[in-house]
Amino acid sequence: MNHPHTSATSSLATADRVARGLGYFSLGLGLLELASPRLVTRSLGMEGAEALVRAAGARELLTGLGALGVNPTPALWGRVAGDALDLATLASGLSPDNPKRDNVKAAMAVVLGTALVDAMAARALSERHVRPRHGYIADYSQCSGFPRPAAAMRGEASDFETPADMRADIGSGPRPAPVPIRLSDTDQ
Amino acid sequence: MKALCWHGKNDIRYDTVPDPSIEDARDAIVKVSSCAICGSDLHLYDHFIPGMEHGDVMGHEFMGEVVEVGADTKRLKVGDRVVVPFTIVCGECEQCRRGNFSVCERSNRNKALGDKAFGHATAGLFGYTHLTGGYAGGQAEYVRVPFADTTHVKVPDSLSDEQVLFLGDIFPTGWQAVVQCDIQPTDTVAIWGAGPVGQFCVRSAVLLGARQVVCIDRVPERLSMAAAGGAITIDFDEESVLERLEELTHGKGPEKCIDAVGLEAHATRSLDSMYDRAKQAVMLETDRPHVLREMIYVCRPAGVLSVPGVYGGLVDKLPFGALMNKGLTLRTGQTHVRRWTDDLLRRIEEGQIDPSFVITHTVGLEQGPDMYRVFRDKLDNCIKVVLKP
């Protein structure tokens, strides 16, 4: 089809687009941390913490996939929690004997900035997509579509005959007599 | 003209696109008076169905007035008020002659693509994937209707748009789902999903005389609407579906089970659903068949499973051993809409049912993009959205 078109409104809001960007960022960072943990630890003067970096990489991949999914909100909140973990881990590299502590400070500033974006996007997505837990529930108990109570409509279309190609009921013996039973919760 | 167009996952836009024109002598152009967002549109919105292209016009539930007809269109004239079925049918091929309209052999103009995906192509559909022809849809001001002589339902002026609009899809879809269960007066019918199609399944099962109708969901307002239609409701977040169905059927299981959910099941608390979500995230599975698994497990031996819910690709861990050993009948398919509409229109005219009960939101077409979000996320007590171009 591919019509030439001009757009006025879109179902994607800024928060959705930011979430998508963060998802790709997460995937990229996760792959880097999984593939080259020593590169990360060396640049931060935190040699020996490769296992932690790999774990952070796996977490980034998970949250990245989630952020690119249909419902990115939980993944974005997951990223916020991950940012807090990263800050705590990086803080251990601020000791005076770390010659690369300036790099650590820079990394912490980047994580802090990203955390801010993550938190803002997660909050906006929650407001936009998440059904309020204690929100107003509409009462559709009058929306039956029937002219009479549902119980009185049972079998009203009994003039309909199932076409031969759609007969599916298996067994040719007599059907057992039905046990009296309610048609709905409201019937006595 | 204005239309709602697909631009990628979760990206529906209110666009300006060229007006449709007659491309074939059997076409008609319909000026849309009302259209709706269908649950299966959400599978496109969430991009679970392959074969969409940027700029595709969405929508397969629509009605309006004929404003132009091709030279070979004999049964329609300008000014006719019509509901347009979502399945495009030639009315002449072997499948159409047998009433299997949803697998019309001529209306899918991308037959080669459909053949590759499904083995054999199915009918052309409005506003859906290019696997089904890639025809422009009805969430627009105007639509070109191919094979117009056979792809329409004339509706009387005495009925409102809201009363007849759903003849194009969800009412016959719910009806067919129940009809192919071959309902007996002794049957318990369990229906998974209280969305719009599930609601019509409930009412169809009641009208067709099922002894007991059970509807399974977790959204309270949807369950209340299902109960209004005569269903016993099960909130799967609050109670065990299996235990409650066993209790309601004296340990025998429901004879008839209907999947009105399809590929995006949301049973977040079940292990198999978490497994599906993980596999889906890494593209190892396309569909989440939690409902199919549950139906196969709980259905009474020699019972019937009916699947109006849309599936698009591959499912995993389906208990086929149970399906086979229990001798279950599995009936599926897109709806042969035109096969049921004359009868259903008569039932609406006679007042047996008023399908407008399901409408919760009516807005202008320009609000369509946001209503996709509201409908998908079940916000604002939304069950069915009608759009007015």
Side-chain angles (χ1 to χ4, degrees), chain A residues 4-166:
Chain A
H5 62 268
T6 55
S7 294
T9 57
S10 165
S11 56
L12 277 183
T14 306
D16 299 306
R17 295 179 198 279
V18 169
R20 202 166 281 185
L22 288 168
Y24 286 118
F25 171 74
S26 225
L27 288 184
L29 183 61
L31 287 174
L32 174 74
E33 289 176 329
L34 277 176
S36 309
R38 291 200 65 190
L39 186 72
V40 178
T41 53
R42 261 208 309 266
S43 64
L44 295 171
M46 296 173 68
E47 287 87 348
E50 285 77 14
L52 269 178
V53 173
R54 280 200 196 92
R59 190 198 69 222
E60 291 286 351
L61 282 187
L62 279 178
T63 53
L65 285 170
L68 293 172
V70 170
N71 176 17
T73 314
L76 265 285
W77 284 117
R79 276 188 53 81
V80 173
D83 294 334
L85 275 176
D86 288 347
L87 282 172
T89 308
L90 285 167
S92 69
L94 286 175
S95 56
D97 59 340
N98 182 355
K100 303 267 182 71
R101 63 178 176 277
D102 284 346
N103 286 358
V104 174
K105 284 179 189 168
M108 288 182 79
V110 170
V111 172
L112 207 58
T114 311
L116 200 64
V117 176
D118 283 334
M120 286 168 65
R123 189 172 167 189
L125 287 177
S126 296
E127 285 172 3
R128 185 170 159 73
H129 292 290
V130 179
R131 191 180 156 92
R133 190 163 290 182
H134 301 294
Y136 164 70
I137 307 289
D139 176 14
Y140 293 136
S141 60
Q142 301 305 310
C143 300
S144 79
F146 292 138
R148 299 193 299 281
M153 297 302 293
R154 179 172 172 267
E156 191 74 5
S158 56
D159 58 326
F160 180 84
E161 191 174 337
T162 304
D165 63 319
M166 294 207 169

Side-chain angles (χ1 to χ4, degrees), chain A residues 1-12 17 20 65 68-70 127-132 136-147 150 153-160 162-163 165-170 175-179 181-185, chain B residues 7 9-16 45-46 53-54 56 134-136 179 182 184-187 203 206-207 209-212 219-221 224 228-230 232 256 281 304 327 329 331 339 343 346-347 351-354 357 360 366 369 373 376-379 381 383:
Chain A
M1 244 165 278
N2 289 320
H3 300 300
H5 62 268
T6 55
S7 294
T9 57
S10 165
S11 56
L12 277 183
R17 295 179 198 279
R20 202 166 281 185
L65 285 170
L68 293 172
V70 170
E127 285 172 3
R128 185 170 159 73
H129 292 290
V130 179
R131 191 180 156 92
Y136 164 70
I137 307 289
D139 176 14
Y140 293 136
S141 60
Q142 301 305 310
C143 300
S144 79
F146 292 138
M153 297 302 293
R154 179 172 172 267
E156 191 74 5
S158 56
D159 58 326
F160 180 84
T162 304
D165 63 319
M166 294 207 169
R167 283 183 199 139
D169 203 54
I170 295 175
R175 308 280 304 183
V179 179
I181 205 155
R182 295 169 304 166
L183 186 63
S184 76
D185 278 338
Chain B
H7 286 275
K9 185 157 85 175
N10 300 154
D11 191 359
I12 302 292
R13 299 182 198 167
Y14 181 60
D15 282 349
T16 301
Y45 177 60
D46 291 338
E53 294 180 9
H54 279 268
D56 283 350
Y135 292 98
V179 165
D182 196 7
Q184 304 296 318
T186 48
D187 282 345
R203 279 132 186 102
V206 168
L207 288 172
R211 177 170 65 110
Q212 186 173 227
V219 182
E221 63 272 18
S224 86
I232 296 167
K256 309 292 161 67
V304 180
T329 299
R331 300 197 67 103
R339 191 167 180 179
D343 181 48
R346 173 181 65 83
R347 294 182 194 281
Q352 214 173 79
I353 185 168
D354 177 356
F357 75 87
T360 54
E366 72 283 358
R373 174 184 67 90
R376 196 274 310 270
D377 295 336
K378 301 176 181 68
L379 304 174
N381 296 289
I383 296 181

